[in-house]
């Protein structure tokens, strides 16, 4: 989910203050990088360029390898274990429940159809549609990101004719040219490779697998370095013509989140090279897990060149780290439990995360919820909690709940529940019913009990407010802060999926109706604020009330609709209102872009 540049990032001080990380905006990226390169123009060594005998798209497997792997670790061959059941035993539903559920499902499906048609009409084969102007964006290479990201959705929601037409269009995507000169290897893996793999697992149409291999071959080339660690911001042009080495400043999510996609590709093709590539990274994480400043977790900024994952001091399950952790329980599910290292990685990292990065916030209704923050860990002070919250870290509720099931750790299901309830609480706390991108809360000393203290809240808010503004005026006119929030440092909602993702997983795991109802509230709130003439738009500031927006004629809609709006957000909304057998979590596991892969299950 996670990703990095998709999340408009802020300038964060990386740990030991050695590095400053840029939070990029995708729209910034797409407007800045517009160089167009093509295979024919690349470099001076035409013998390195692909010559595809049959014509057709450029094949990266024909480009020379500079540092071939000396030996390949094969996929584990053991029979899958019988893992604990993930989904709740759903009883046959009542007529009343079924009709309400189907009504809600139909509403989601028609929202998807509307967005998809707008994409088809105005942005076909581009990465994204701009939902207000109707123009296009190509920040992910110009390889039709929204189209590839939604093949599985078209299949799941039963748009079979559209699936067929989108898939045949996708066949013409050519990886010998790109609209950007630096490719984010992580984003391309989760969206494009993940999209084709999932479309293949669902439809069994061979063309999906061919295209997955084509992308897989290109991405594999990013691992062509002396230590076989990937170049995460990868320049196609350089890769064609010169040797590369891995970077020494890398975001941990961009190094550690290839496991599911690469493993699935090896499972489907029988070619171990992709599994080998990620297995090397997994071993590295395991080797260095207990040597970091917060043993169990790895810092957000790591060095892939040495490689060294131990130096930096900022730790979080949130932005720029997220899917590293998310993939541990998911790899257990995907492989059927035959590789023991994923339990070790999960248990070690979650123990540290629970102790040092999760907190119970002080809120006026004293709700028993958890929020995932971060920790600064220095030898001199020990780990210090940063009581932040982010929309994107809402995936953590689903991760803990799934991990708790798959690894048989019931206490993790409870943590997952409290984290998910924290996201639902945050949606409900804001006047438009939508949660902000980044905020601060006030951590309680004690997770067991937490009394609301208005004086303390006012004091915390005042710490964050500009000098001299009277408290009431600051709250009302400037910050528009609901009680419980100390600060909302980024008030956007960019059509993100992570809250509904966890609500969906908690529903499938617990069977509790309250999660479907919370999902419906979230869906209606998002639609009400984000709908445009064409589709749906990211929101610039969700702290206003509807009355303020109407009265002052404030426009909060931004001309942006990332591919994850349809591919993830609407997929999870659709699935929570589908029959529980549709994409069952006992047969499928979702990558971080919400693409379901078929699990290796014991017969
Ligand atoms: C509430 O917070 C204030 C300020 O931190 C503190 O002085 C006071 O003792 C607290 N009240 C209670 C009942 O804990």
């Amino acid at each position: 989910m996670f990703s990095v540049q998709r999340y408009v990032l802020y300038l964060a001080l990386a740990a030991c203050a050695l590095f400053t990380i840029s939070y990029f905006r995708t729209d910034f990226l797409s407007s800045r990088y517009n160089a167009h390169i093509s295979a024919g123009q690349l470099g001076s060594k035409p013998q390195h360029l692909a010559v595809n005998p049959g014509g057709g798209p450029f094949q990266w497997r024909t480009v020379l390898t500079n540092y071939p792997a000396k030996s390949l670790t094969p996929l584990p061959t053991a029979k899958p274990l019988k893992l604990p059941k993930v989904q709740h035993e759903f009883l046959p539903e009542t007529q009343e429940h079924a009709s309400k559920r189907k009504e809600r499902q139909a509403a989601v499906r028609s929202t998807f159809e509307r967005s998809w048609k707008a994409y088809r009409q105005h942005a076909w084969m581009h990465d994204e549609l701009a939902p207000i102007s109707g123009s296009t964006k190509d920040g992910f290479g110009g390889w039709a990101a929204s189209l590839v990201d939604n093949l599985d959705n078209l299949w799941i929601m039963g748009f079979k004719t559209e699936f067929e037409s989108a898939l045949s269009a996708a066949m013409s995507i050519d990886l010998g040219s790109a609209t950007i000169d630096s490719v984010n290897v992580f984003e391309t893996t989760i969206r494009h490779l993940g999209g084709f793999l999932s479309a293949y697992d669902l439809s069994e149409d061979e063309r999906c697998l061919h295209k997955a291999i084509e992308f897989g071959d290109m991405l594999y080339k990013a691992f062509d370095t002396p230590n076989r660690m990937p170049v995460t911001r990868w320049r196609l042009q350089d890769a064609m013509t010169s040797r590369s080495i891995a970077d020494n400043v890398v975001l941990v999510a961009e190094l550690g989140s290839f496991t599911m996609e690469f493993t699935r590709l090896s499972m489907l093709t029988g070619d171990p090279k992709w599994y080998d590539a990620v297995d090397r990274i997994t071993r590295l994480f395991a080797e260095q897990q207990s040597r970091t400043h917060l043993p169990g977790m790895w810092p957000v900024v790591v060095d892939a060149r040495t490689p060294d994952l131990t130096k930096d001091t900022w730790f979080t399950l949130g932005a720029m780290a997220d899917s590293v952790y998310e993939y541990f329980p998911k790899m257990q599910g995907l492989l059927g439990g035959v590789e023991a290292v994923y339990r070790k990685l999960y248990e070690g990292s979650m123990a540290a995360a629970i102790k040092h990065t999760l907190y119970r916030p002080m809120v006026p209704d004293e709700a028993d919820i958890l929020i995932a923050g971060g920790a600064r860990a220095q030898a001199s002070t020990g780990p210090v909690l940063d009581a932040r919250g982010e929309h994107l870290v809402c995936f953590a509720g689903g991760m803990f709940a799934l991990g708790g099931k798959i690894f048989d750790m019931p206490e993790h299901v409870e943590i997952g529940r409290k984290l998910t309830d924290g996201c639902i609480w945050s949606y409900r706390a804001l006047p438009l019913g939508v949660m902000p991108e980044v905020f601060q809360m006030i951590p309680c000393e004690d997770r067991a009990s937490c009394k609301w203290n208005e004086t303390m809240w006012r004091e915390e808010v005042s710490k964050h407010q500009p000098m001299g503004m009277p408290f009431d005026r600051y709250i009302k006119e400037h910050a528009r802060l609901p009680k419980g929030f100390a600060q909302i440092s980024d008030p956007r909602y960019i059509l993100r999926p992570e809250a509904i993702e966890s609500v969906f997983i908690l529903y499938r795991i617990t069977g509790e109706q309250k999660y479907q109802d919370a999902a419906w509230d979230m869906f209606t709130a998002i639609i009400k604020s984000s709908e445009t003439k064409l589709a749906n738009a990211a929101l610039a500031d969700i702290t206003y009330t509807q009355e303020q927006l109407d009265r002052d004629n404030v426009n909060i809609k931004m001309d942006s609709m990332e591919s994850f709006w349809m591919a993830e957000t609407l997929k999870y909304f659709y699935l929570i209102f589908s029959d529980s057998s549709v994409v069952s979590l006992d047969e499928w596991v979702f990558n971080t872009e919400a693409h379901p892969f078929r699990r290796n299950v014991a017969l």
Side-chain angles (χ1 to χ4, degrees):
M1 32 209 91
F2 306 76
S3 357
V4 179
Q5 76 232 59
R6 65 201 243 199
Y7 312 143
V8 181
L9 311 175
Y10 52 81
L11 284 172
L13 284 181
C16 43
L18 278 178
F19 315 109
T20 303
I21 307 159
S22 291
Y23 256 101
F24 306 100
R25 297 177 60 129
T26 301
D27 48 1
F28 163 71
L29 268 186
S30 47
S31 59
R32 180 164 158 218
Y33 297 114
N34 54 11
H36 185 89
I37 54 168
S38 75
Q41 299 159 356
L42 287 168
S44 56
K45 294 181 187 165
Q47 69 273 23
H48 285 198
L49 301 183
V51 183
N52 188 8
F58 182 82
Q59 300 294 327
W60 276 90
R61 67 169 50 212
T62 63
V63 179
L64 220 65
T65 303
N66 297 308
Y67 306 101
K70 291 198 177 65
S71 66
L72 294 182
T73 302
L75 274 166
T77 49
K79 280 214 175 72
L81 310 178
K82 202 162 167 42
L83 297 180
K85 196 169 179 310
V86 175
Q87 290 210 156
H88 175 74
E89 287 292 351
F90 285 88
L91 297 171
E93 60 185 341
T94 63
Q95 198 107 59
E96 192 195 341
H97 181 262
S99 69
K100 187 152 112 191
R101 176 177 68 69
K102 285 176 188 163
E103 222 172 87
R104 291 170 167 184
Q105 186 201 44
V108 177
R109 189 173 183 273
S110 67
T111 299
F112 172 83
E113 190 176 15
R114 192 169 173 272
S115 288
W116 176 257
K117 281 189 168 155
Y119 170 73
R120 170 181 274 284
Q121 192 181 344
H122 299 278
W124 191 240
M125 297 300 281
H126 289 280
D127 286 342
E128 288 168 18
L129 165 72
I132 296 174
S133 62
S135 62
T136 61
K137 299 186 189 188
D138 284 299
F140 293 102
W143 300 315
S146 289
L147 186 149
V148 178
D149 234 358
N150 280 291
L151 291 169
D152 57 357
N153 246 344
L154 292 167
W155 186 271
I156 291 167
M157 295 190 195
F159 294 106
K160 296 290 156 69
T161 318
E162 282 298 316
F163 174 82
E164 178 53 43
S165 112
L167 181 56
S168 47
M171 290 303 108
S172 68
I173 294 170
D174 188 341
L175 299 181
S177 67
T179 53
I180 49 180
D181 44 33
S182 167
V183 167
N184 186 319
V185 174
F186 163 77
E187 296 284 358
T188 311
T189 299
I190 65 170
R191 297 185 197 226
H192 294 87
L193 177 54
F196 281 118
L197 286 169
S198 181
Y200 178 71
D201 269 345
L202 289 159
S203 71
E204 294 179 356
D205 188 315
E206 293 287 336
R207 289 174 295 172
C208 301
L209 187 55
H210 288 151
K211 219 60 196 172
I213 294 169
E214 234 174 70
F215 271 92
D217 282 337
M218 176 181 77
L219 294 162
Y220 189 69
K221 180 68 180 155
F223 289 70
D224 187 14
T225 61
N227 66 1
R228 301 295 306 166
M229 291 293 126
V231 179
T232 55
R233 303 296 172 97
W234 184 65
R235 303 172 71 86
L236 277 78
Q237 184 143 15
D238 294 354
M240 292 265 189
T241 55
S242 52
R243 292 169 182 262
S244 303
I245 52 172
D247 284 324
N248 49 21
V249 179
V250 166
L251 300 177
V252 73
E254 294 190 11
L255 178 64
S257 313
F258 301 107
T259 39
M260 286 186 71
E261 295 81 4
F262 277 35
T263 298
R264 188 67 189 140
L265 188 54
S266 282
M267 288 164 84
L268 290 172
T269 58
D271 183 341
K273 72 179 185 187
W274 292 286
Y275 181 73
D276 170 78
V278 291
D279 184 65
R280 290 166 194 271
I281 299 177
T282 297
R283 305 274 147 217
L284 176 70
F285 275 78
E287 274 162 34
Q288 302 197 4
Q289 184 170 22
S290 57
R291 304 202 330 244
T292 68
H293 291 288
L294 190 64
M297 297 178 77
W298 304 266
V300 163
V301 174
V302 295
D303 173 354
R305 188 173 296 173
T306 315
D308 185 335
L309 314 179
T310 66
K311 286 186 289 207
D312 222 302
T313 56
W314 169 243
F315 298 82
T316 175
L317 297 178
M320 306 175 287
D322 47 22
S323 42
V324 168
Y325 302 104
E326 176 194 347
Y327 276 12
F328 299 149
K330 290 183 167 182
M331 281 299 285
Q332 179 80 354
L334 182 65
L335 283 169
V338 295
E339 172 47 83
V341 74
Y342 290 103
R343 176 187 280 273
K344 175 183 176 294
L345 292 168
Y346 177 79
E347 288 187 356
S349 55
M350 291 308 115
I354 292 167
K355 189 158 178 215
H356 300 291
T357 70
L358 307 188
Y359 65 96
R360 179 171 174 176
M362 183 183 78
V363 290
D365 62 355
E366 296 171 15
D368 188 7
I369 54 178
L370 288 173
I371 300 289
R376 180 76 61 187
Q378 272 153 333
S380 52
T381 56
V384 178
L385 174 72
D386 179 349
R388 59 180 11 248
E390 301 165 354
H391 190 295
L392 81 85
V393 83
C394 282
F395 83 94
M399 170 185 68
F400 274 105
L402 184 69
K405 282 288 174 183
I406 281 192
F407 293 117
D408 197 14
M409 301 170 79
E411 67 283 11
H412 281 205
V413 178
E414 283 315 299
I415 289 168
R417 171 196 290 282
K418 288 184 187 182
L419 284 166
T420 305
D421 290 351
C423 295
I424 296 171
W425 188 95
S426 305
Y427 266 69
R428 292 194 172 138
L430 272 293
L432 295 177
V434 183
M435 175 180 175
E437 181 76 356
V438 185
F439 52 88
Q440 295 280 329
M441 295 178 99
I442 302 151
C444 307
E445 294 287 320
D446 182 357
R447 281 186 201 176
S449 122
C450 187
K451 293 269 169 272
W452 173 249
N453 179 338
E454 186 122 355
T455 314
M456 186 185 281
W457 173 65
R458 292 174 71 103
E459 281 178 9
E460 287 296 320
V461 170
S462 301
K463 283 186 198 161
H464 294 284
Q465 74 144 305
M467 298 278 279
M469 202 186 277
F471 181 85
D472 290 322
R473 206 181 119 214
Y474 173 72
I475 289 287
K476 198 161 159 262
E477 293 170 23
H478 187 76
R480 296 182 297 277
L481 280 180
K483 284 185 183 176
F485 290 91
Q487 186 189 28
I488 295 181
S489 41
D490 184 344
R492 290 169 311 137
Y493 170 68
I494 60 166
L495 303 174
R496 280 187 179 289
E498 296 83 11
I500 182 56
E501 169 183 344
S502 285
V503 171
F504 160 72
I505 292 173
L506 264 288
Y507 176 67
R508 288 289 182 90
I509 284 177
T510 65
E512 287 171 28
Q513 176 65 36
K514 75 164 195 180
Y515 288 112
Q516 278 187 329
D517 294 336
W520 182 246
D521 290 346
M522 289 162 63
F523 177 74
T524 49
I526 292 168
I527 297 303
K528 185 157 188 271
S529 293
S530 70
E531 205 159 81
T532 68
K533 280 204 184 89
L534 296 173
N536 295 82
L539 304 173
D541 188 342
I542 48 74
T543 60
Y544 289 97
T545 62
Q546 191 60 50
E547 292 68 45
Q548 284 169 323
L549 293 178
D550 295 342
R551 188 192 61 212
D552 303 335
N553 209 8
V554 181
N555 176 26
I556 55 168
K557 287 173 191 159
M558 302 190 286
D559 201 12
S560 165
M561 180 176 89
E562 289 226 32
S563 72
F564 55 65
W565 161 245
M566 283 188 279
E568 299 190 63
T569 311
L570 290 179
K571 182 184 286 132
Y572 286 126
F573 275 123
Y574 181 83
L575 287 174
I576 196 172
F577 300 125
S578 298
D579 188 273
S580 58
S581 63
V582 177
V583 196
S584 161
L585 297 177
D586 289 304
E587 294 160 39
W588 298 88
V589 59
F590 290 83
N591 88 336
T592 194
E593 186 74 6
H595 295 303
F597 298 166
R598 207 172 260 291
R599 290 175 52 182
N600 191 19
V601 287
L603 295 174

